[in-house]
């Protein structure tokens, strides 16, 4: 099963292959048609196509709306509503086809005046008009529904394959018709027949599919019609604006310029290349439009933001390669293609290419706005752009001739696309203009300028004069452009997405783990492989109300997570330790598959800033995870391995959403760190690993005396002596009291917890006096938040050493399945010379043994103190790895240079 990245990649690639076929046919057919028709008949062909092109407006935007809703309903599996929607669309298209026929009939008496033709030319134009009307509207509208269904199901590759085949068939049919002596009428019939063939090929896969929709006008629903038209009408405005911009230039030139038919024919050559160039750069936007609708439905706005910037960067790549070729070879291209009579089209072609290149950001922005419910904005902007384009074109054509029409398009593009639509979508998705510019502009400008320079040099030295030789002359520049883009502007996270998409197509097992990695050995209880989708979504927890929403879900300590990851702990860290930066919640969603609840969990991270040689770097940081196995996220080992994979696959999105450059994971146990390293190495992700500290364990044997015998007799003697002396000083015997989570809710337990917090407060005062850490009140609030969360979760217990009602020492433990963790200790500073904390801990071990506890883990501070009691220690690691961006590249470069330097020294 393909990933989203793989599906988008295949659909986009098929878009470009289909476009390539169309472009090759167009490049071959245009000179053939000009020679076969003659310049005047080619001008008639262009004018009639400009008129009948407006009949495409009778779609009324239903095409875009149908793709949006079919994509959403296919994802939600709401087949009943999908059938109502398709039935509504089929009825609407039949009505629109009849209306278009009536409008064409009403318009026909005025056709000669609109085209400015008379006599034999007018008669020829009328026949051509009716053929194209039936081709472009009357039959096309009802049949186009099947194409929209395939598109909405994201079977774009199939649509593209059919279009590539029928385009080639049209080219062959046109050549045969012209060789047989036919003119524009014969070619029009070929065009009509190929359209019928194309839509029959759409109908077949829709009707033979297992979950085919019921296509019946009887299922039309008024409510569905209202829902669809709310989107379609604004899409209609956009289509109207685009058509007017593309078609009115010919009429403006025809009305203003001398020798109009020839001027229209010359300008149409430039605009035809521009139209195909525009179609080419739209392929990426067309491929992601259904995906944007799907992401909007699932609430994954972070990925939409990722598409807005990174997607624009990749959409610019083919636009840059082809655009630079057209800019560098405009005049020799026209000479080699259609001859010297049309060389005047070079200037408008250059201006048109520049205008179209600038529409790439708008293309991505409009796709996002339209598919996320902001279609009104794009519709209004399109109308404004159309009015500006027509106005500028009239003025500029009067001043500059045919090139003025291209300058009118360029001016409208700068004002509307770059001045209105792009800032709007960036503001909507909280993307700063400098951030957007830094991600997009260098990746376009640097490779493009290198490509242009190399191509111009090749033209100067080799003087190519045929289309094939021009293509070969442009290859070195295009290759340099692609190489520079890949190595300088594709970061490791994006490369990882590509590699994963390739591997997912067949080289990965069903559970998502690479073959032959450490993940195949479960190391724990067996479980069925997970066959569904495991994804990560990110939520900001910036304010108290955001934390309250989490609290309402009863997820203070997510299943399988260490108590240190509890909501209260992380909220306290966010509020009192970091002093402001927001926390993040990563939701690990497992959907589909029989055991889909296996890895549905949350983890809490903090967005912090680290100081480095390159300045302050934002970091996604775990504060204090205490991980001894693969249960960082999921209870089971294999589940944990799958979540590591999901985390690595999503790191590019996480980095973009947060602006962070590194993920830092602290306190990873040795085995856990090794498993993560396997995945980092397999994906070629650079990382650093270092010992953070050690996990100290006390493994109590069945006979507690055996444990005490393993300890230093001198230490035990000193503890017993301290216990005797402390009793004498206080005048009362010492008593160890245990309070469970339930007991802490009682008045006596609450009083004991309050006394223990006082000890912590005094400890904090001593630390504050030395200039360390935060204020005592902040630390006290921090611990209250921790203890409150753990008490509600029934995971906390309190042990205190009491003398005559006064607490001399206290210890907080957290219960985990099969083990107990000592987290916080404090003691009365007035009696510190008697080591009351050690007395309490010795008593705690005896009590724990009596309760059947055989594994105790020591958290908190004081490595020497832990070492004294421990019977086992495990290395604990911190691992950090990049999550994308230029800082990722600098960080990797620094690591590589250090590695090379170390090798050089070793060789010497």
């Amino acid at each position: 099963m393909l990933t989203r990245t793989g599906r988008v990649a295949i659909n986009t690639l098929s878009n470009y292959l289909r476009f390539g076929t169309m472009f090759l046919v167009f490049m071959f057919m245009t000179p053939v048609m000009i020679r076969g028709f003659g310049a005047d008949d080619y001008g008639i062909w262009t004018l009639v196509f400009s008129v009948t092109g407006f009949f495409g407006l009778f779609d009324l935007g239903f095409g875009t709306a149908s793709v949006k809703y079919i994509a959403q309903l296919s994802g939600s599996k709401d087949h009943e509503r999908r059938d109502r929607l398709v039935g509504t669309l089929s009825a609407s298209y039949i009505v629109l086809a009849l209306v278009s026929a009536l409008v064409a009939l009403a318009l026909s008496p005025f056709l000669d005046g609109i085209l400015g033709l008379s006599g034999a030319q007018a008669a020829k134009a009328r026949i051509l008009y009716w053929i194209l009307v039936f081709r472009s509207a009357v039959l096309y509208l009802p049949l186009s529904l099947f194409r929209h269904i395939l598109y909405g199901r994201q079977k774009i590759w199939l649509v593209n394959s059919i279009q590539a085949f029928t385009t080639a068939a049209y080219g062959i049919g046109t050549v045969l018709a012209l060789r047989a002596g036919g003119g524009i009428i014969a070619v029009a019939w070929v065009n009509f027949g190929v359209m019928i063939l194309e839509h029959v090929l759409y109908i077949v896969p829709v009707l033979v599919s297992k979950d085919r929709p019921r296509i019946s006008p009887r299922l039309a629903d008024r409510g569905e019609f209202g829902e669809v038209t709310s989107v379609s009408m604004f899409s209609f405005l956009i289509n109207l604006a685009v058509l007017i911009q593309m078609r009115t230039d010919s009429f403006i030139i025809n009305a203003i310029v001398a020798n109009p038919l020839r001027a229209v024919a010359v300008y149409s050559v430039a605009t035809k290349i521009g139209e195909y160039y525009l179609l080419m750069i739209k392929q990426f936007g067309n491929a992601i439009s259904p995906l944007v609708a799907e992401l909007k439905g699932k609430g994954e706005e972070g990925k939409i933001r990722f598409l807005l910037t990174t997607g624009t960067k990749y959409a610019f790549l083919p636009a840059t390669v082809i655009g630079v070729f057209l800019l560098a070879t405009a005049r020799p291209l026209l000479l080699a293609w259609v001859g010297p009579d049309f060389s005047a089209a070079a200037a408008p072609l250059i201006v048109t290419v520049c205008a179209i290149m600038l529409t790439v950001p708008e293309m991505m922005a409009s796709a996002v706005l339209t598919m996320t419910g902001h279609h009104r904005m794009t519709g209004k902007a399109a109308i404004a752009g159309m009015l500006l384009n027509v106005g500028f074109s009239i003025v500029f054509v009067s001043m500059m001739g045919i090139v003025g029409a291209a300058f009118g398009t360029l001016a409208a593009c700068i004002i509307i696309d770059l001045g209105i639509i792009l800032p709007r979508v960036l503001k909507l998705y909280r993307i700063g203009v400098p951030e957007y510019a830094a991600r997009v502009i260098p990746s376009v400008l640097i490779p493009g300028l290198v490509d242009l320079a190399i191509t111009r040099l090749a033209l100067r030295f080799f003087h190519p004069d045929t289309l094939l030789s021009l293509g070969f002359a442009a290859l070195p520049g295009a290759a340099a452009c692609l190489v520079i883009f890949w190595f300088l502007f594709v970061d490791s996270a994006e490369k990882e997405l590509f590699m994963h998409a390739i591997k997912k197509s067949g080289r990965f097992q069903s559970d998502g783990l690479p073959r032959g990695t450490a993940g195949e050995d479960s190391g724990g209880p067996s479980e069925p492989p997970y066959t569904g989708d495991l994804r990560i979504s990110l939520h900001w927890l910036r304010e108290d109300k955001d934390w309250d929403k989490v609290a309402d879900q009863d997820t203070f300590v997510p299943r399988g997570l260490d108590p240190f990851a509890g909501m209260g702990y992380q909220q306290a860290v966010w509020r009192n330790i970091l002093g402001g930066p927001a926390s993040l919640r990563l939701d690990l969603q497992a959907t589909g598959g029989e055991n889909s609840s296996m890895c549905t969990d949350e983890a809490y991270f903090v967005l912090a800033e680290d100081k480095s040689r390159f300045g302050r770097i934002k970091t996604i940081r775990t504060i204090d995870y205490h991980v001894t196995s693969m249960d960082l996220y999921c209870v089971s080992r294999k589940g944990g391995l799958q979540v590591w994979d999901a985390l690595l696959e999503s790191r590019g999105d996480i980095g973009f959403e947060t602006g962070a450059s590194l993920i830092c994971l602290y306190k990873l146990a040795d085995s856990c760190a090794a498993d993560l390293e396997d995945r980092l190495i397999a994906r070629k992700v650079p990382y650093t690993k270092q010992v953070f500290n050690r996990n100290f364990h006390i493994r109590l044997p069945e006979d507690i005396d055996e444990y005490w015998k393993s300890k230093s007799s001198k230490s035990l003697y000193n503890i017993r002596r301290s216990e005797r002396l402390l009793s004498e000083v206080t005048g009362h015997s010492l008593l160890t009291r245990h309070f469970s989570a339930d007991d802490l809710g009682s008045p006596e337990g609450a009083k004991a917890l309050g006394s223990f917090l006082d000890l912590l407060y005094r400890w904090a005062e001593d630390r504050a006096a030395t200039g360390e850490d935060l204020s005592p009140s902040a630390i006290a609030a921090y611990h209250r938040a921790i203890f409150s969360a753990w008490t509600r979760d029934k995971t906390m217990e309190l042990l205190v050493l009491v003398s005559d009602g006064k607490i001399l020492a206290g210890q907080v433990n957290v219960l985990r399945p099969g083990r107990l963790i000592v987290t916080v200790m404090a003691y009365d500073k007035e009696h510190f010379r008697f080591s009351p904390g050690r007395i309490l801990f010795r008593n705690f071990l005896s009590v724990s043994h009596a309760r059947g506890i055989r594994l105790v883990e020591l958290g908190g501070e004081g490595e020497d103190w832990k070492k004294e009691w421990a019977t086992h220690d495990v290395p604990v690691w911190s691992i950090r790895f990049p999550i994308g961006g230029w800082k990722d590249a600098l960080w990797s470069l620094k690591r590589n240079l250090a590695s090379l330097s170390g090798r050089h020294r070793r060789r010497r």
Side-chain angles (χ1 to χ4, degrees):
M1 181 180 178
L2 288 174
T3 62
R4 281 177 180 167
T5 305
R7 187 170 65 240
V8 171
I10 288 177
N11 287 336
T12 305
L13 179 62
S14 67
N15 274 347
Y16 288 127
L17 292 175
R18 186 256 305 171
F19 163 79
T21 303
M22 294 175 63
F23 187 73
L24 289 176
V25 171
F26 159 72
M27 293 291 289
F28 173 74
M29 289 305 304
T30 299
V32 172
M33 293 171 70
I34 289 174
R35 290 193 297 269
F37 295 162
D40 287 348
D41 274 10
Y42 189 72
I44 294 172
W45 177 272
T46 301
L47 287 173
V48 174
F49 251 95
S50 296
V51 172
T52 57
F54 284 97
F55 282 89
L57 293 174
F58 282 100
D59 176 84
L60 294 183
F62 281 107
T64 301
S66 60
V67 169
K68 169 181 168 62
Y69 286 108
I70 289 171
Q72 288 183 351
L73 297 175
S74 296
S76 63
K77 307 298 183 183
D78 190 347
H79 297 307
E80 182 179 350
R81 187 186 172 195
R82 179 202 62 189
D83 290 347
R84 292 200 308 271
L85 174 75
V86 172
T88 303
L89 289 170
S90 63
S92 301
Y93 275 136
I94 291 172
V95 172
L96 291 174
L98 294 175
V99 171
S100 68
L102 293 175
V103 171
L105 184 63
L107 187 64
S108 61
F110 309 99
L111 185 65
D112 295 352
I114 294 173
L115 299 178
L117 301 176
S118 61
Q121 288 182 334
K124 191 181 297 185
R126 284 194 293 272
I127 298 173
L128 180 63
Y129 167 77
W130 278 109
I131 296 173
L132 295 182
V133 163
F134 273 89
R135 179 243 183 263
S136 302
V138 177
L139 294 179
Y140 173 81
L141 288 171
L143 294 176
S144 66
L145 176 60
F146 295 92
R147 176 177 176 270
H148 301 328
I149 291 172
L150 292 175
Y151 220 95
R153 290 178 174 178
Q154 300 191 51
K155 293 184 177 180
I156 302 173
W157 62 270
L158 180 57
V159 174
N160 288 330
S161 301
I162 293 171
Q163 287 188 348
F165 170 74
T166 53
T167 299
Y170 170 60
I172 295 171
T174 300
V175 170
L176 294 177
L178 291 174
R179 286 188 175 180
I184 58 176
I185 303 302
V187 173
W189 281 116
V190 171
N191 190 300
F192 183 89
V194 169
M195 185 276 292
I196 297 296
L197 173 64
E198 176 184 343
H199 286 83
V200 168
L201 295 177
Y202 294 146
I203 293 171
V204 173
V206 171
L207 296 183
V208 300
S209 61
K210 293 181 180 179
D211 58 342
R212 61 181 178 274
R214 293 179 60 195
I215 305 175
S216 172
R218 296 179 181 178
L219 296 176
D221 182 88
R222 183 177 299 177
E224 295 296 338
F225 181 78
E227 181 80 13
V228 171
T229 53
S230 66
V231 175
S232 68
M233 293 310 297
F234 286 93
S235 179
F236 163 74
L237 292 177
I238 296 171
N239 294 337
L240 172 65
V242 170
L243 266 176
I244 290 176
Q245 290 182 38
M246 294 175 63
R247 306 297 183 186
T248 54
D249 285 347
S250 297
F251 292 104
I252 293 172
I253 292 171
N254 190 46
I256 296 176
V257 177
N259 193 7
L261 279 180
R262 182 167 184 79
V264 167
V266 170
Y267 185 76
S268 69
V269 171
T271 55
K272 275 292 182 182
I273 296 176
E275 286 180 23
Y276 275 90
Y277 178 50
L278 180 63
L279 281 175
M280 185 274 296
I281 68 173
K282 276 189 169 184
Q283 304 314 308
F284 190 87
N286 292 341
I288 70 165
S289 291
L291 175 60
V292 173
E294 178 187 335
L295 294 175
K296 177 63 177 178
K298 294 180 178 179
E300 299 183 42
E301 292 198 356
K303 291 183 173 60
I304 296 177
R305 297 177 73 228
F306 181 78
L307 284 174
L308 269 173
T309 53
T310 305
T312 302
K313 179 176 72 175
Y314 285 101
F316 254 123
L317 180 60
T320 302
V321 173
I322 303 298
V324 166
F325 170 74
L326 294 175
L327 292 174
T329 65
R331 184 175 177 80
L333 174 67
L334 291 169
L335 291 174
W337 182 36
V338 290
D341 292 342
F342 290 85
S343 60
L349 174 60
I350 291 173
V351 179
T352 300
V353 168
C354 292
I356 292 173
M357 287 186 72
L358 293 179
T359 64
V360 173
E362 181 274 337
M363 173 194 72
M364 297 296 296
S366 293
V368 169
L369 290 172
T370 301
M371 291 297 166
T372 57
H374 300 279
H375 40 275
R376 290 178 176 84
M377 172 64 186
T378 54
K380 294 176 181 177
I383 293 298
M386 176 266 295
L387 295 175
L388 286 176
N389 188 6
V390 172
F392 282 132
S393 294
I394 292 173
V395 173
F396 292 156
V397 168
S398 301
M399 298 168 53
M400 308 163 63
I402 61 175
V403 73
F407 273 110
T409 302
L410 177 62
C413 169
I414 293 173
I415 294 172
I416 300 299
D417 296 352
L418 301 183
I420 296 177
I421 294 181
L422 184 60
R424 167 69 175 175
V425 77
L426 294 181
K427 181 179 179 181
L428 183 66
Y429 282 91
R430 304 183 306 279
I431 302 173
V433 173
E435 175 189 355
Y436 179 86
R439 278 181 170 265
V440 174
I441 293 178
S443 65
V444 177
L445 200 58
I446 295 175
L449 290 176
V450 172
D451 186 358
L452 183 61
I454 294 175
T455 303
R456 293 296 298 174
L457 285 173
L459 293 176
R460 177 172 296 182
F461 283 105
F462 298 107
H463 304 290
D465 56 359
T466 65
L467 291 178
L468 187 61
S469 61
L470 283 170
F472 279 117
L475 284 179
C481 176
L482 296 174
V483 169
I484 292 172
F485 182 85
W486 178 259
F487 285 101
L488 293 186
F489 301 106
V490 180
D491 60 40
S492 59
E494 294 163 17
K495 291 176 182 175
E496 178 187 337
L497 285 175
F498 296 141
M499 296 304 298
H500 177 70
I502 294 171
K503 292 177 181 177
K504 197 73 174 179
S505 63
R507 286 182 283 182
F508 266 57
Q509 302 177 63
S510 61
D511 62 358
L513 300 178
R515 298 186 188 274
T517 65
E520 294 182 351
D521 180 14
S522 66
S526 62
E527 61 184 51
Y530 180 67
T531 57
D533 241 356
L534 189 61
R535 65 182 189 273
I536 290 180
S537 57
L538 185 147
H539 304 277
W540 289 95
L541 303 176
R542 291 187 172 96
E543 303 176 8
D544 287 348
K545 62 182 181 181
D546 298 323
W547 289 99
D548 293 339
K549 291 178 183 177
V550 180
D552 292 340
Q553 299 169 7
D554 294 326
T555 55
F556 297 107
V557 179
R559 178 178 62 82
L561 283 177
D562 187 84
F564 292 127
M567 187 194 75
Y569 176 86
Q570 293 292 347
Q571 186 179 18
V573 169
W574 164 53
R575 183 177 294 151
N576 297 316
I577 302 301
L578 294 181
S583 290
L584 316 165
R585 190 181 87 216
L586 298 182
D587 284 343
L588 311 171
Q589 303 284 339
T591 60
E594 296 180 356
N595 52 337
S596 60
S597 64
M598 182 183 66
C599 289
T600 304
D601 274 315
E602 297 124 11
Y604 296 93
F605 289 76
V606 172
L607 181 61
E609 288 193 356
D610 290 334
K611 211 170 186 182
S612 74
R613 289 182 59 186
F614 303 109
R616 298 190 67 81
I617 296 178
K618 287 186 178 180
T619 305
I620 298 295
R621 165 193 298 275
T622 56
I623 295 300
D624 196 18
Y625 280 132
H626 191 82
V627 184
T628 57
S629 63
M630 280 308 295
D631 63 1
L632 175 62
Y633 297 113
C634 293
V635 174
S636 66
R637 179 180 174 85
K638 178 166 282 190
L641 293 173
Q642 290 173 328
V643 176
W644 280 130
D645 289 324
L647 179 63
L648 291 175
E649 290 160 16
S650 305
R651 66 192 183 91
D653 295 345
I654 295 170
F656 177 75
E657 175 95 5
T658 61
S661 298
L662 294 172
I663 289 180
C664 296
L665 300 173
Y666 293 116
K667 285 199 172 182
L668 300 183
D670 196 30
S671 60
C672 182
D675 289 321
L676 176 57
E677 280 190 284
D678 287 341
R679 278 147 176 75
L680 293 171
I681 292 171
R683 289 163 174 77
K684 298 182 179 179
V685 178
Y687 69 96
T688 57
K689 169 185 169 182
Q690 63 182 12
V691 176
F692 184 79
N693 59 15
R694 289 184 177 272
N695 264 352
F696 289 91
H697 297 173
I698 301 175
R699 298 190 181 275
L700 297 175
E702 292 299 325
D703 185 356
I704 188 65
D705 291 334
E706 293 296 325
Y707 171 77
W708 293 122
K709 289 178 182 178
S710 66
K711 301 292 103 183
S712 167
S713 59
K714 183 178 181 180
S715 296
L716 292 175
Y717 170 79
N718 288 335
I719 291 175
R720 293 190 185 99
R721 180 173 177 271
S722 295
E723 186 176 22
R724 185 180 70 253
L725 293 175
L726 186 55
S727 297
E728 292 175 358
V729 169
T730 59
H732 298 277
S733 60
L734 303 180
L735 178 65
T736 299
R737 292 290 308 275
H738 171 264
F739 295 91
S740 66
D742 292 331
D743 296 334
L744 291 174
S746 67
E748 184 180 8
K751 181 180 178 181
L753 182 57
S755 299
F756 177 71
L757 285 171
D758 287 339
L759 293 179
L760 285 175
Y761 186 83
R762 289 198 292 272
W763 166 82
E765 284 183 321
D766 292 340
R767 304 248 334 209
T770 62
E772 299 180 27
D773 290 336
L774 301 174
S775 66
S777 59
I779 294 178
Y782 163 64
H783 282 102
R784 276 196 295 272
I786 296 173
F787 299 154
S788 176
W790 289 350
T791 301
R792 286 194 296 267
D793 296 331
K794 311 298 183 185
T795 59
M796 173 179 160
E797 66 178 22
L798 173 67
L799 267 75
V800 292
L801 185 67
V802 182
S803 176
D804 192 25
K806 180 181 180 181
I807 294 180
L808 304 179
Q811 173 181 311
V812 171
N813 307 322
V814 175
L815 300 173
R816 289 283 298 210
R819 65 184 188 271
L820 185 148
I821 306 169
V822 180
T823 61
V824 183
M825 298 189 72
Y827 55 88
D828 188 346
K829 297 293 185 180
E830 296 178 7
H831 300 98
F832 75 93
R833 64 185 183 276
F834 300 111
S835 302
R838 297 192 179 214
I839 297 171
L840 175 63
F841 190 74
R842 185 207 59 183
N843 297 342
F844 153 73
L845 289 177
S846 298
V847 171
S848 298
H849 184 272
R851 292 165 59 192
I853 294 173
R854 294 293 179 266
L855 176 61
V856 176
E857 298 181 17
L858 304 181
E861 296 184 352
E863 298 297 313
D864 293 337
W865 175 84
K866 297 176 185 178
K867 194 179 300 182
E868 179 181 340
W869 296 95
T871 55
H872 184 70
D873 63 304
V874 178
V876 177
W877 303 91
S878 69
I879 290 184
R880 32 190 260 157
F881 53 90
I883 55 179
W886 64 271
K887 294 172 183 175
D888 177 354
L890 289 177
W891 189 83
S892 301
L893 178 62
K894 176 186 173 183
R895 292 284 303 161
N896 292 335
L897 290 176
S899 174
L900 291 173
S901 176
R903 292 178 186 176
H904 178 68
R905 285 196 297 270
R906 285 193 296 271
R907 287 177 181 175
R908 294 181 60 184

